[in-house]
Amino acid sequence: MRFSGFILAIDSYLVRKGTVSLLSRIPDIRIIREFSAADSFRQYATRQDIDFLVISQSIFDQSSAVFVSHPGLLERTILLKEDSVSHLEIHNSIHLWEEKEVITAKIKRLIELHSSSLSTSGSSELTQREKTIVRLVSMGLTNRQIAEELFLSTHTVTTHRKNISSKLGIKSVSGITVYAIVNNIITIEEVTSKPSE
Amino acid sequence: MISRDMLMCVAVFENMQLLPLFPRFKMELGFGEKSVEEVCKTHGVNTDFFLEIANSYLDEAYIPGEGLSLFSLGTVISYLKETHTYYVETALPMVEEKIYLLLDQSSLSDKEVNLVTVFFNDYKLEFLTHILEEEQHILPYILELEKQSALKKPDSEFAQKLQSYSIREFEQGHDRLETSLEHLSRLIIKNLPPFEDFQLCQQVLGDLSDLVKDLTDHANMEDKILIPRVAELEKQLISRIDTP
Ligand SMILES: [Fe+2]
Ligand SMILES: [Fe+2]
């Protein structure tokens, strides 16, 4: 937890190792797995969540199914471009001849943009919205009730709850409640008398 | 810092925090005039390993990984397992008993008692689940990985598993068990009304703080020594499988 997990799917050995060496210089990045072929990457992707992906053009071309089954992954993917022809609209790409500083900046920006929406968040500070949710959880509200209170979808509340648990390293309602009390987010008086799920 | 030539009794006398380590190495007090090395030898414990564990336990700034990387994963794992046993059979029940005693004798409201009770029950469940996951899945997997790595040709079923599993997944979900205990201490010190039995309260806080320190040390061994070494082994084995 508290780091960004990267999957590399790059067929060229040299490019893959170069990417590893570059990524490992950026703090809070973990390389979860490296793949040199499309089939082993696709097989992995059927079973696992992926936070961030760096992929080579040829594996990318053979892996469209992965992006269908992982909605949102495309925005967290960096395509390594070998030529200037762009056959698919993708948000983030790196050209192989780009300077180290440019590449590093691109990767860091990507992480910043997405880490708050991923379970493996880069920061352990709660946002204001998350604190509000922690408060409502401690008062005994269900996700559905919280969603109604804050005009959010239940799905969004569930995502927030996941992020909160991952940032704090606490899963239970009672654990979150005690966290909220010692951090002045709520008083003991305001807490529901039966914190349970 | 303790060293191999030191008398064990002196080492302990000057560093009482080391006491919880002895049962984990199946060592008993009554060391007489034996040196650290002699005590280790008598109990069939690798002296370097003992020194590495003890010194990292004493020094919070100690950066693990260098000294301990000399030992087999099996050695590190059997130490971690002994520590799990200590938590589950001794440390956790001990602090639990005192907490309930403290609650019994307190003038806390029902709501406050309920808050602590539910909190501790949930925590215990989380704790046991965490340990069980490591004992039943993670540690056996690592031992198997070490065994397979030593083989000329790793077993095909294991090679298959490696295609879709990595220890990094465990790392991502690996929670720090000490966090909630720190919150409990803060709750007692800061938010709950004062307890009449101050002695008992002091004991609870002392036990909690000892356990937090021990758990931190334990999790550091898992996160900073075990996982990186396992990830490295996985990588080596995968590249061997990929390039026959
Ligand atoms: Fe453990
Ligand atoms: Fe652990």
Side-chain angles (χ1 to χ4, degrees), chain A residues 33 171 174 182 189 193, chain B residues 111 114 122 162 164 175 190:
Chain A
R33 280 298 297 268
K171 293 188 187 80
S174 64
V182 298
E189 289 70 38
S193 56
Chain B
K111 190 181 211 173
N114 192 51
D122 288 348
L162 265 187
S164 58
D175 287 334
K190 185 177 162 212

Side-chain angles (χ1 to χ4, degrees), chain A residues 60-142:
Chain A
F60 183 76
D61 291 341
Q62 299 167 60
S63 305
S64 45
V66 171
F67 296 96
V68 176
S69 57
H70 292 73
L73 177 62
L74 206 56
E75 284 85 62
R76 303 191 304 271
T77 295
I78 294 173
L79 178 66
L80 297 179
K81 287 192 172 176
E82 290 149 41
D83 51 49
S84 48
V85 193
S86 95
H87 18 208
L88 225 156
E89 209 40 62
I90 180 150
H91 301 253
N92 321 289
S93 56
I94 286 171
H95 290 277
L96 288 188
W97 59 84
E98 274 177 318
E99 285 300 329
K100 181 180 150 211
E101 288 70 28
V102 178
I103 299 178
T104 309
K106 279 187 179 177
I107 294 170
K108 280 189 178 161
R109 202 178 52 227
L110 185 73
I111 295 174
E112 250 165 53
L113 210 61
H114 293 283
S115 60
S116 65
S117 67
L118 287 169
S119 55
T120 51
S121 167
S123 137
S124 58
E125 271 296 307
L126 293 189
T127 64
Q128 204 48 52
R129 182 33 61 92
E130 286 166 347
K131 281 186 188 163
T132 309
I133 292 176
V134 161
R135 191 180 151 79
L136 296 174
V137 168
S138 307
M139 290 165 84
L141 271 68
T142 63

Side-chain angles (χ1 to χ4, degrees), chain B residues 222-241:
Chain B
E222 291 173 340
D223 291 341
K224 296 188 180 144
I225 296 168
L226 199 62
I227 294 174
R229 280 185 64 188
V230 172
E232 189 52 40
L233 260 190
E234 283 175 343
K235 236 163 92 184
Q236 287 170 8
L237 197 59
I238 285 171
S239 67
R240 266 175 59 203
I241 295 166

Side-chain angles (χ1 to χ4, degrees), chain B:
Chain B
M1 246 332 238
I2 65 170
S3 59
R4 60 180 65 240
D5 313 317
M6 241 171 151
L7 288 182
M8 186 64 105
C9 60
V10 175
V12 178
F13 189 73
E14 289 176 358
N15 306 283
M16 290 289 184
Q17 321 86 290
L18 287 179
L19 280 173
L21 296 187
F22 290 96
R24 296 175 204 175
F25 287 103
K26 306 269 188 282
M27 292 175 180
E28 286 172 326
L29 303 187
F31 299 120
E33 294 288 312
K34 282 184 185 155
S35 70
V36 169
E37 185 161 35
E38 284 162 346
V39 173
C40 286
K41 279 210 175 116
T42 321
H43 291 85
V45 172
N46 181 316
T47 310
D48 293 310
F49 185 67
F50 178 83
L51 286 172
E52 202 60 42
I53 294 284
N55 285 321
S56 66
Y57 198 78
L58 289 175
D59 178 11
E60 296 193 20
Y62 175 86
I63 303 159
E66 292 146 31
L68 277 172
S69 59
L70 300 169
F71 304 99
S72 76
L73 288 170
T75 307
V76 178
I77 283 178
S78 56
Y79 173 75
L80 291 173
K81 281 185 160 176
E82 287 294 337
T83 315
H84 288 164
T85 310
Y86 164 74
Y87 294 148
V88 175
E89 288 179 4
T90 311
L92 205 58
M94 200 169 74
V95 72
E96 179 180 28
E97 197 187 309
K98 285 186 190 151
I99 286 172
Y100 285 123
L101 214 60
L102 192 64
L103 290 178
D104 276 351
Q105 300 172 1
S106 73
S107 51
L108 263 56
S109 71
D110 286 353
K111 190 181 211 173
E112 287 155 344
V113 171
N114 192 51
L115 178 77
V116 178
T117 314
V118 174
F119 173 84
F120 201 80
N121 269 331
D122 288 348
Y123 176 71
K124 218 168 67 180
L125 191 69
E126 230 170 86
F127 195 102
L128 296 177
T129 315
H130 181 121
I131 303 267
L132 209 65
E133 158 79 0
E134 289 176 2
E135 292 269 334
Q136 294 194 327
H137 299 113
I138 309 303
L139 301 183
Y141 164 74
I142 298 173
L143 290 174
E144 182 65 20
L145 178 74
E146 192 175 46
K147 196 179 117 200
Q148 295 285 342
S149 299
L151 296 177
K152 265 214 175 84
K153 192 180 171 333
D155 182 271
S156 66
E157 201 180 309
F158 192 80
Q160 188 66 27
K161 183 187 164 91
L162 265 187
Q163 292 300 329
S164 58
Y165 179 78
S166 157
I167 195 75
R168 293 295 186 196
E169 272 163 46
F170 164 68
E171 182 183 22
Q172 273 182 313
H174 191 215
D175 287 334
R176 305 290 299 210
L177 287 169
E178 63 271 26
T179 319
S180 286
L181 291 184
E182 287 175 315
H183 293 160
L184 181 57
S185 300
R186 285 168 67 189
L187 189 79
I188 293 174
I189 296 170
K190 185 177 162 212
N191 303 87
L192 290 177
F195 291 92
E196 278 148 47
D197 190 343
F198 185 77
Q199 288 305 320
L200 187 58
C201 184
Q202 188 185 334
Q203 281 181 34
V204 168
L205 289 172
D207 284 0
L208 285 175
S209 132
D210 287 349
L211 189 51
V212 164
K213 215 199 138 286
D214 207 298
L215 285 167
T216 309
D217 188 72
H218 181 81
N220 281 342
M221 278 187 73
E222 291 173 340
D223 291 341
K224 296 188 180 144
I225 296 168
L226 199 62
I227 294 174
R229 280 185 64 188
V230 172
E232 189 52 40
L233 260 190
E234 283 175 343
K235 236 163 92 184
Q236 287 170 8
L237 197 59
I238 285 171
S239 67
R240 266 175 59 203
I241 295 166
D242 287 348
T243 50

Side-chain angles (χ1 to χ4, degrees), chain A residues 17-49:
Chain A
K17 290 305 163 196
T19 310
V20 169
S21 118
L22 196 140
L23 285 179
S24 47
R25 257 161 238 169
I26 304 176
D28 299 323
I29 284 185
R30 290 277 194 295
I31 297 167
I32 311 270
R33 280 298 297 268
E34 297 170 33
F35 295 97
S36 56
D39 49 354
S40 52
F41 166 63
R42 284 197 308 258
Q43 191 193 351
Y44 174 86
T46 56
R47 304 186 34 183
Q48 302 298 334
D49 283 339

